[in-house]
Amino acid sequence: MSEITDFDALRRAMAENAEQPEGPARNARAEELLAAAEKLNVPLAVIEALGHQLKVYNYSSEKGKMFVPFARLLRMWDKRPEDFDEYETHSLHWVFKWVSSGMLDQPHIPLASIEKWLGEMEHRYRLAGHSERAVRSAEHSVAAHVGDLARAERAYAAWLAADRDSMADCHACELHGQGWWQAEQGRDAEALELWRPVLEGEYACAHEPHTALASSLVPLLRLGRLDEARANHLRGFRLVRAMESMRGAYAEHVEFCALTGNEARGLELLAERPAYFTDDGQPQSKLEFMSVVALLMDRLIGLGLGDRQVPGPAGREWTARELAAHARAEALALAARFDERNGTTYVSERARARMERRPLVERLPLGVRSVRPVPVPAPPVVTAAATGQPDLPALLAEARRLSDTLRPGAVEAWAAVAEAAQGVELDPRDRAEIADHEAMGRGPEGTALFERAAELYAAAGDPGEALAARARAAYVRALAGDVDAALAAVSGSYDEILALYAAGDTGIRQTASVLMARARILLRRAHEAGEGLAEGGAERDGPEAVLDEAEAAVREVLALVDGRTGQDVRLAARGAEAQAMLAELAGLGGDLGTAAGLFARGAAAFVAAGLPWYAVEYEARLASLAHHLGDMAEAERALRAALEHGGAHLEAPGRAQLHLQLAELTGGRGEVVEAARHALEAAHWADEGGEGATLGAWARQQLGGFLLRQGRWAEAAEVLESALPDLTAETHGDGAVVQTQWWLGDCLSELGEHRAAAERRLQAAEIARHWPEQHDHATLAHLAGESLGQAGLADEADRAYARAGGLWRELGNVHGLVRALRARAWLALRTQDGPAAARLLMADAVRECEAARDEAEDEESRQRFVAELGHTHRQFGDLLARSAEGGAEGSLPAVFEEALSQLLRSAEVFATLGDGALHSRTGAELTAGWLEIELGRLTDARARARAVLAAYDGYGGAAPEGMNDDDDGEAVGARRAEAEHLLRVAAEDPD
């Protein structure tokens, strides 16, 4: 750390410190700089150092320290106001407002002192000739804080009525304060309308739109504007995350999580800022933070997670229940200190009301990964009568109703019967159905139970249902992979059921059940044959014969139930499933069009039978087929139908898959808003289904891309950063990782975070460098060069551009190579030996353009290279003119001559391209004209200006026909205006 020996060095050091992150380190450096300033024996140096110290205290967690430097500044002003320059005079009066609000935040400062200070502020502003607008704003803050609502309304009206002057807060801060008051009074719509210019970026400052975004969250939730609330949380949290002084705004984001079912994310936010639990520099923001901590912990307790370990004050481990008690006690103790100071109970009442808020949304998906802290409870199954004791007959009746009508929950209902029947003597039929449904719930492990059910059905005198149970046991074997044994087992049941049915000794339902089991097993064998998975293929029937046998079995089911279903949904389901099985067989045979039609018929049959949830699987498969066949409209229809028909019965992973496919389809046709909505739903349901790290990462990656395409850079960055830790080359492919890094780099670049953007782009480039095709590698290296240059890292940027240039050369991409050379030339200009190196690089770019032009294979390519050459000459001229700035006096004319030569060559090159390059040509000519003025060639400059005006004769305000899309009438007007200005400046005498 260099020693401060003069005022300029002090100012440089203060400027450097102002750029550091908020926090104790920056504050400590400000204290060191004040000590250094005191040694310079320059009053203004001490004044500026005190002002710097006051500012960094204000923008930190140590706001309480700012009163001392301000008091010293005020004494210096009262003693020797002439020591203050104009800027420091303005600053002194400006920070009166900071001190006023800072006093309110410190409960140890008496209210009488604050009121006295408010009077002092009013008096000094009047003496300085300032409006009372800032004074009335400060008075409003005092009245609102203590709960004097009538005075607050009067001060609010006076605040708005007073003239804005140099002491008024910036528009952004004023609008935030005014909107805050409207929201406090329950006028949410009015608040949001006041905040709108800040939220939309019309007004901004160091702390806005940060605080407005945070303050808008609860009002938006109360108004049901959930999409805006989600967006403002993602945007706003990104802004406040690194700003230590914004604990109050940070607390509003934690509160948002607690009120929207995002408790897990709320815990993540607490873990990011452990110092917020203990920082005492601003008691008001600590009160706000501890209040929402208590709110979040109470929410966890309500979810049955009171014993869960949570982030809390350092030094020990905390459960949610323990932290809830601690945070509530801390918040109420702080509120009591304020109330004691104010002589009211208002602050405590507001704190209690905040801690007792109830969730406004059960679960608001955010798009970023966040595991739900407690599983969603399953729908309750009625298991007891009003007495609270199991009512076995009622449970049996309900279970039979659900299973006979194929309603969801039938297996669970029979499990409830089994539980209630423990120790109860049941007849064989009841026990058979219990075993049968328990077997259904066990999947491939249910074989033995199906056999047991068959024995019980036989004992109950129902041989047909016994055969059906044995057929189900056979199908389970097929599911386990033993298709041959399954087929052998079902063959006996098949023969027996047909005989029983022919004799009238069993019903159509039991017969259909056996036939369907056999058809399913044969379909499994067809799949194996079609995929070439079966062993010993030479000894068994060929694939076509296997398909034919399976199709015959399926059609046998259709023939049995056709026209006989009546009101029997089980039989209707058999017919619908058979249609879908024919679709599978058609697909195995390569007839995809027929398969799609049959899947549609099967799904429609399930819906017609009142069983839409069974249609979901087939609609999803139809969507996949339609997509493969290029019928995107049918694919989209089928996906939407699957979501609709699945309804509440659709499992979370399946719902996520459907939404993700819809996101890809709608995004593919440019409907990025709808695509983003589906991707958001996909991410949410993937998390709910425990697939956040796999399917959820895909969905987040897509969501980030769709948000980026809408220009929602901050939201996209939050989502993509959330996706990256879960994206792996092994699971998702390295292409997905590169694309995510690429998109994230684009977002960060748009947000002005150029160093971080460069890191992402370089990380992506490092992966892409191993790919056989190197275009992406070259593009990412080039983009990294741009970001590094914008971050002020010239050496690193040059290396990135050099890497990109080498790749462009290998790829034969002259345009990329030339642009890399030009970028390096501009970077070189910043270095000590820059002008010479810059000239060489720009000359290389010219040569590459000329060579490409001369070797072009067709006229279109040649014209593109000519345009690139024109731009290169133009940049060469601009670079030379820039290099002359600050140079020796004698060298200026020679450098300007060289620059003029390049500009004129640029204009000549563009002239060969006709009207399509008119703006580029006239831009070069006008720049040349200004250089001619610098060289004293006024006649040439006037001629140049008149030539430009003549070039636009007859165009009016419109762009010339054939001009590039980027050219428009506005550019015509701008060129004319500049030419007329050039003409006036160059005129020796009035014409």
Side-chain angles (χ1 to χ4, degrees):
M1 189 178 298
S2 58
E3 185 179 356
I4 306 298
T5 57
D6 57 54
F7 200 174
D8 287 341
L10 174 69
R11 283 175 164 165
R12 286 195 298 272
M14 289 190 294
E16 290 172 4
N17 194 46
E19 296 301 317
Q20 298 305 304
E22 295 176 352
R26 187 170 74 157
N27 294 353
R29 177 59 174 156
E31 292 161 5
E32 293 173 358
L33 293 175
L34 175 59
E38 290 168 337
K39 297 176 182 177
L40 297 179
N41 198 29
V42 178
L44 184 58
V46 175
I47 290 167
E48 290 189 12
L50 285 167
H52 174 67
Q53 188 182 75
L54 197 156
K55 182 176 182 178
V56 300
Y57 283 155
N58 185 62
Y59 291 111
S60 79
S61 62
E62 299 179 306
K63 288 178 184 284
K65 289 185 175 183
M66 70 180 173
F67 303 117
V68 172
F70 181 73
R72 184 175 173 187
L73 274 171
L74 200 57
R75 288 195 300 271
M76 293 176 73
W77 168 264
D78 289 338
K79 186 176 181 180
R80 288 181 56 87
E82 63 272 18
D83 288 341
F84 289 70
D85 62 15
E86 182 179 355
Y87 178 82
E88 293 303 329
T89 299
H90 178 274
S91 296
L92 176 70
H93 286 82
W94 181 267
V95 297
F96 263 91
K97 299 178 295 182
W98 293 357
V99 174
S100 176
S101 63
M103 287 180 171
L104 275 179
D105 293 343
Q106 303 291 333
H108 70 276
I109 298 179
L111 188 61
S113 297
I114 296 173
E115 294 284 6
K116 180 180 178 181
W117 184 257
L118 190 61
E120 178 76 7
M121 177 181 174
E122 182 173 10
H123 171 68
R124 288 181 181 267
Y125 272 37
R126 188 180 299 116
L127 286 178
H130 296 306
S131 163
E132 67 171 11
R133 188 177 182 92
V135 177
R136 299 285 77 85
S137 174
E139 181 188 6
H140 171 263
S141 297
V142 173
H145 172 75
V146 302
D148 188 344
L149 303 188
R151 182 188 179 191
E153 289 284 13
R154 291 194 302 272
Y156 183 85
W159 170 15
L160 269 60
D163 292 335
R164 279 189 59 83
D165 67 352
S166 62
M167 282 298 112
D169 282 342
C170 74
H171 282 291
C173 287
E174 280 211 329
L175 289 173
H176 173 255
Q178 292 160 16
W180 173 85
W181 178 244
Q182 297 298 329
E184 281 293 302
Q185 301 310 301
R187 299 187 284 264
D188 290 335
E190 291 87 342
L192 288 161
E193 182 58 28
L194 282 165
W195 288 328
R196 183 183 53 76
V198 183
L199 299 176
E200 293 179 358
E202 184 178 344
Y203 301 119
C205 68
H207 277 186
E208 294 295 348
H210 314 45
T211 55
L213 285 164
S215 297
S216 73
L217 298 174
V218 170
L220 284 168
L221 291 174
R222 288 195 293 239
L223 291 173
R225 292 160 60 174
L226 304 184
D227 288 342
E228 293 173 72
R230 176 194 302 109
N232 286 4
H233 168 63
L234 294 177
R235 286 175 58 203
F237 181 67
R238 187 171 192 85
L239 291 173
V240 305
R241 172 183 271 145
M243 300 184 72
E244 186 209 37
S245 64
M246 302 200 72
R247 180 165 53 182
Y250 199 98
E252 289 177 299
H253 287 281
V254 176
E255 179 180 42
F256 167 84
C257 294
L259 298 178
T260 58
N262 287 287
E263 299 84 5
R265 179 167 171 82
L267 293 176
E268 292 170 4
L269 267 57
L270 296 187
E272 284 193 30
R273 279 290 185 181
Y276 277 172
F277 288 100
T278 53
D279 283 345
D280 293 321
Q282 191 190 22
Q284 177 64 47
S285 70
K286 185 175 182 182
L287 165 59
E288 294 165 0
F289 183 75
M290 298 308 284
S291 295
V292 301
V293 170
L295 170 68
L296 178 61
M297 295 306 111
D298 284 349
R299 175 65 179 154
L300 291 173
I301 294 169
L303 292 171
L305 298 170
D307 295 326
R308 173 172 176 158
Q309 188 171 329
V310 295
R316 55 161 290 186
E317 293 184 348
W318 295 86
T319 66
R321 187 172 287 105
E322 291 167 341
L323 186 57
H326 171 77
R328 183 176 295 275
E330 284 266 308
L332 292 177
L334 283 166
R337 290 175 59 198
F338 281 108
D339 284 342
E340 183 180 4
R341 188 267 304 275
N342 300 338
T344 69
T345 59
Y346 186 69
V347 175
S348 293
E349 290 168 3
R350 292 181 71 246
R352 286 192 176 90
R354 190 171 197 180
M355 289 187 280
E356 291 166 6
R357 280 179 172 163
R358 306 304 304 158
L360 296 169
V361 183
E362 181 180 349
R363 185 81 193 276
L364 178 62
L366 302 179
V368 292
R369 188 180 184 196
S370 187
V371 181
R372 194 175 180 87
V374 64
V376 180
V381 177
V382 177
T383 60
T387 60
Q389 297 299 318
D391 184 348
L392 190 54
L395 291 175
L396 274 167
E398 176 64 7
R400 286 199 174 103
R401 183 189 71 81
L402 292 174
S403 56
D404 286 346
T405 56
L406 298 178
R407 273 356 188 217
V411 171
E412 291 79 7
W414 279 105
V417 170
E419 182 180 354
Q422 290 182 12
V424 178
E425 186 67 30
L426 295 176
D427 64 42
R429 176 76 191 196
D430 293 338
R431 286 186 286 136
E433 290 184 85
I434 291 173
D436 204 359
H437 286 87
E438 184 180 348
M440 293 177 192
R442 290 195 180 185
E445 299 176 359
T447 305
L449 274 170
F450 277 128
E451 295 290 357
R452 173 62 179 156
E455 294 171 2
L456 291 167
Y457 281 127
D462 191 342
E465 201 61 62
L467 289 171
R470 288 196 171 93
R472 286 191 282 275
Y475 178 54
V476 165
R477 289 178 184 171
L479 290 177
D482 194 352
V483 176
D484 289 339
L487 192 56
V490 81
S491 296
S493 297
Y494 171 72
D495 292 337
E496 290 184 52
I497 201 72
L498 289 179
L500 284 174
Y501 184 61
D505 292 333
T506 193
I508 188 172
R509 179 186 285 190
Q510 292 78 12
T511 306
S513 183
V514 175
L515 266 58
M516 178 55 79
R518 177 173 176 269
R520 287 172 177 169
I521 294 168
L522 287 167
L523 180 61
R524 295 285 298 182
R525 190 174 72 156
H527 273 287
E528 289 185 353
E531 297 167 4
L533 297 177
E535 296 180 1
E539 299 176 3
R540 66 166 66 209
D541 294 334
E544 289 186 8
V546 173
L547 291 175
D548 290 344
E549 186 180 6
E551 182 177 346
V554 174
R555 292 195 181 280
E556 189 175 10
V557 176
L558 282 171
L560 177 67
V561 302
D562 187 32
R564 299 184 180 88
T565 58
Q567 299 300 311
D568 191 330
V569 296
R570 280 179 173 268
L571 293 180
R574 299 299 185 203
E577 185 180 353
Q579 295 285 356
M581 293 168 77
L582 289 175
E584 287 191 62
L585 289 166
L588 288 172
D591 189 351
L592 302 186
T594 298
L598 288 167
F599 273 131
R601 287 175 61 182
F606 273 120
V607 174
L611 304 169
W613 45 88
Y614 284 103
V616 173
E617 176 188 351
Y618 305 116
E619 284 160 333
R621 295 173 74 171
L622 169 59
S624 179
L625 272 176
H627 193 284
H628 181 77
L629 293 168
D631 189 349
M632 299 306 172
E634 176 63 6
E636 185 174 338
R637 184 210 63 76
L639 289 169
R640 293 186 187 279
L643 279 171
E644 177 188 350
H645 293 145
H649 307 299
L650 193 57
E651 292 186 355
R655 191 183 298 271
Q657 287 277 12
L658 293 171
H659 276 296
L660 187 55
Q661 291 177 64
L662 272 171
E664 293 169 353
L665 276 173
T666 52
R669 67 162 189 264
E671 300 288 341
V672 292
V673 174
E674 183 178 359
R677 186 169 68 249
H678 285 298
L680 175 67
E681 289 292 325
H684 166 69
W685 289 110
D687 289 344
E688 291 287 292
E691 297 190 14
T694 50
L695 182 60
W698 271 119
R700 270 179 275 281
Q701 195 250 14
Q702 291 295 302
L703 174 59
F706 294 133
L707 291 170
L708 178 146
R709 288 168 66 181
Q710 297 175 59
R712 296 162 67 174
W713 315 112
E715 296 168 66
E718 282 291 303
V719 171
L720 292 168
E721 286 174 344
S722 174
L724 263 176
D726 291 326
L727 288 169
T728 65
E730 295 75 19
T731 302
H732 306 91
D734 54 8
V737 179
V738 167
Q739 183 65 82
T740 307
Q741 297 275 25
W742 194 328
W743 281 339
L744 183 52
D746 290 348
C747 291
L748 296 171
S749 179
E750 293 288 344
L751 294 169
E753 300 175 34
H754 299 300
R755 185 187 291 264
E759 291 174 2
R760 296 301 185 182
R761 288 166 167 174
L762 288 171
Q763 288 166 2
E766 188 58 26
I767 299 173
R769 69 189 288 265
H770 300 290
W771 293 353
E773 209 290 317
Q774 289 288 285
H775 185 273
D776 286 342
H777 180 198
T779 303
L780 286 161
H782 200 119
L783 290 170
E786 289 181 8
S787 294
L788 290 164
Q790 289 171 312
L793 301 171
D795 291 342
E796 293 88 339
D798 182 71
R799 286 195 292 272
Y801 278 126
R803 174 181 175 183
L807 291 166
W808 291 131
R809 189 183 297 278
E810 291 175 12
L811 290 166
N813 188 319
V814 176
H815 298 285
L817 170 59
V818 167
R819 290 167 190 178
L821 288 168
R822 293 197 308 236
R824 292 184 65 198
W826 284 105
L827 286 168
L829 199 59
R830 305 182 195 176
T831 64
Q832 185 174 357
D833 300 323
R839 275 189 175 85
L840 291 174
L841 287 162
M842 204 64 85
D844 284 346
V846 169
R847 282 192 294 273
E848 294 290 346
C849 288
E850 290 173 339
R853 175 200 60 191
D854 296 340
E855 298 168 8
E857 295 179 355
D858 54 60
E859 182 58 23
E860 183 180 351
S861 298
R862 194 190 73 81
Q863 290 202 3
R864 286 201 301 271
F865 291 131
V866 169
E868 199 73 77
L869 177 60
H871 289 301
T872 304
H873 279 305
R874 168 64 192 270
Q875 287 201 33
F876 204 164
D878 290 342
L879 180 141
L880 290 167
R882 181 76 59 84
S883 72
E885 296 176 5
E889 185 68 28
S891 69
L892 280 177
V895 176
F896 281 160
E897 287 285 3
E898 191 180 355
L900 179 60
S901 172
Q902 290 291 339
L903 290 164
L904 293 178
R905 290 171 70 181
S906 172
E908 291 168 3
V909 170
F910 283 129
T912 67
L913 297 174
D915 280 350
L918 179 59
H919 289 341
S920 297
R921 173 170 70 82
T922 55
E925 289 179 334
L926 288 169
T927 304
W930 291 112
L931 274 180
E932 286 168 333
I933 289 178
E934 292 292 334
L935 291 166
R937 300 173 188 171
L938 303 183
T939 301
D940 292 344
R942 289 196 297 274
R944 194 81 55 201
R946 291 190 182 103
V948 170
L949 290 171
Y952 289 110
D953 280 349
Y955 289 126
E961 187 177 350
M963 195 166 285
N964 296 333
D965 291 341
D966 291 340
D967 299 316
D968 53 26
E970 241 179 74
V972 175
R975 288 288 188 270
R976 280 177 162 160
E978 186 179 356
E980 289 166 352
H981 180 51
L982 176 63
L983 194 60
R984 287 193 299 272
V985 172
E988 292 179 320
D989 298 303
D991 289 337

